[in-house]
Amino acid sequence: MKIEKTGVVGAGIMGTGLALTLLLYGKTVFLIDSDKSKLEIFENDLIKNIRFQILFNAEWKDIVPDKLKHNLITSTNPEILNSADYIIENVTEDWEIKKELWEKLDSICKKETIFASNTSAIPITKQASVTKRPDKVIGIHFMNPVPLKPVVEVIKSELTSDETIKNTLSFLEEIGKRGILINDAPGFVSNRVLMLTINEAFYLLQEGTASISEIDEIFKTCFGHKMGPFETADLIGLDTILLTLKVLKDNLKDNKFTPCPLLRTVVDKGFFGAKNKKTIYQYFNLNN
């Protein structure tokens, strides 16, 4: 399957990072979001962001940023996705929102279009079941920042066809990614483990066992991680962490995924991390 026209739903951190990556690898990108201001910010910063990425990857050194901009089409109207070959959703971790989106896109897109969900935890089989093309629905869990992360989780549902898997892995190779194929389960591999780690870090902080910087430093110096759990949480989004834990608890019926009260408080006070420039580190600087 030849994939040239790609659709990206959601212009948040993950969606815009993905759109930028697709443009850098020569794909046509239809980027949609209900918030027009997010689309405008991405368009206004596009040339600057392309030039920044060229500094990190020698294979992009001959790219002419102004030419790539012509391959981007943005809109608040999902109807522009009717000609897309491959669509990747990056909307918030809310089942009702994803369900409504897939039902809408299913009626808009051509029957050959593959649907991929860049969900944090919602099972792919559940998402596929609300479409009339369950064999063409697959999960791709990209890591942030998308342009710089070479490996992704690829999640096959119980309904995903071998052809969809083959086309997806080939597509990922075209955009510089290696996919690790796994079976469907809530949270998959990375978030099933990572969300527990971050949640326990919040419990340690709440209990006064150690400070934010001490916990992060232990992970970086003792385990060799590039970032500690709180730095990682700020990058992912504290609100996304909270939503993902709720999804894991609801789907697995396991209380170990109960969000730490401190995490709930931080999010309730509007601290979402890097995405709104209100990080967990800033929260404690203001409250201590």
Side-chain angles (χ1 to χ4, degrees):
M1 179 180 177
K2 190 174 179 62
I3 299 171
E4 294 297 337
K5 296 180 179 180
T6 59
V8 177
V9 183
I13 291 176
M14 292 301 293
T16 53
L18 177 57
L20 177 59
T21 300
L22 294 168
L23 288 168
L24 286 164
Y25 281 96
K27 303 298 182 183
T28 297
V29 177
F30 299 97
L31 176 64
I32 70 163
D33 196 287
S34 59
D35 187 343
K36 187 176 181 180
S37 65
K38 289 183 178 180
L39 299 171
E40 291 172 346
I41 290 171
F42 180 67
E43 288 182 291
N44 292 337
D45 292 343
L46 182 59
I47 299 299
K48 177 184 70 176
N49 288 333
I50 290 172
R51 288 172 178 158
F52 181 75
Q53 292 302 325
I54 289 172
L55 296 174
F56 290 95
N57 196 325
E59 70 176 296
W60 296 332
K61 62 182 176 61
D62 296 324
I63 283 177
V64 179
D66 289 312
K67 288 185 177 181
L68 290 193
K69 194 165 185 176
H70 295 301
N71 292 336
L72 174 67
I73 301 95
T74 66
S75 179
T76 57
N77 185 355
E79 295 286 343
I80 69 165
L81 299 174
N82 61 4
S83 64
D85 303 311
Y86 203 104
I87 292 175
I88 306 169
E89 71 81 15
N90 308 269
V91 301
T92 190
E93 201 67 1
D94 183 305
W95 166 240
E96 291 302 323
I97 292 175
K98 290 189 190 291
K99 179 176 181 289
E100 183 180 350
L101 172 68
W102 288 134
E103 290 173 341
K104 178 74 172 176
L105 293 182
D106 206 26
S107 67
I108 292 173
C109 298
K110 56 188 182 180
K111 63 181 181 179
E112 299 84 10
T113 304
I114 293 174
F115 291 167
S117 176
N118 184 20
T119 178
S120 296
I122 297 174
I124 305 305
T125 304
K126 184 175 183 179
Q127 296 187 60
S129 67
V130 301
T131 75
K132 296 175 182 177
R133 64 186 81 201
D135 59 312
K136 290 183 173 63
V137 179
I138 196 166
I140 308 178
H141 187 202
F142 290 90
M143 308 299 161
N144 188 26
V146 178
L148 301 181
K149 298 292 185 177
V151 180
V152 301
E153 284 180 299
V154 177
I155 305 99
K156 60 176 181 177
S157 83
E158 297 174 12
L159 307 169
T160 309
S161 70
D162 290 341
E163 183 180 12
T164 297
I165 293 169
K166 179 181 177 181
N167 286 328
T168 295
L169 293 174
S170 176
F171 168 64
L172 288 169
E173 286 182 11
E174 290 178 15
I175 62 170
K177 308 296 182 190
R178 179 171 69 88
I180 298 177
L181 184 64
I182 62 172
N183 294 317
D184 193 19
F188 324 120
V189 172
S190 60
N191 277 347
R192 182 85 166 263
V193 176
L194 179 60
M195 294 301 119
L196 279 177
T197 301
I198 292 173
N199 202 38
E200 282 302 312
F202 270 94
Y203 274 114
L204 287 168
L205 185 59
Q206 178 177 280
E207 294 161 7
T209 304
S211 69
I212 292 179
S213 58
E214 289 166 341
I215 293 170
D216 275 350
E217 185 66 16
I218 286 170
F219 273 78
K220 289 188 287 186
T221 57
C222 296
F223 300 136
H225 292 187
K226 291 184 178 180
M227 297 187 297
F230 291 111
E231 292 166 326
T232 302
D234 273 334
L235 183 64
I236 293 171
L238 300 169
D239 55 333
T240 301
I241 300 291
L242 180 58
L243 285 171
T244 303
L245 284 165
K246 290 178 180 178
V247 169
L248 288 167
K249 184 180 180 182
D250 288 346
N251 280 272
L252 295 169
K253 311 301 180 187
D254 193 331
N255 287 330
K256 70 184 178 186
F257 293 103
T258 301
C260 175
L262 176 59
L263 171 60
R264 290 181 182 273
T265 298
V266 170
V267 172
D268 286 346
K269 290 185 176 181
F271 286 77
F272 299 162
K275 65 174 70 175
N276 72 343
K277 298 181 173 60
K278 297 177 97 175
T279 69
I280 183 65
Y281 275 84
Q282 291 170 323
Y283 176 86
F284 272 88
N285 285 338
L286 291 172
N287 289 276
N288 286 330

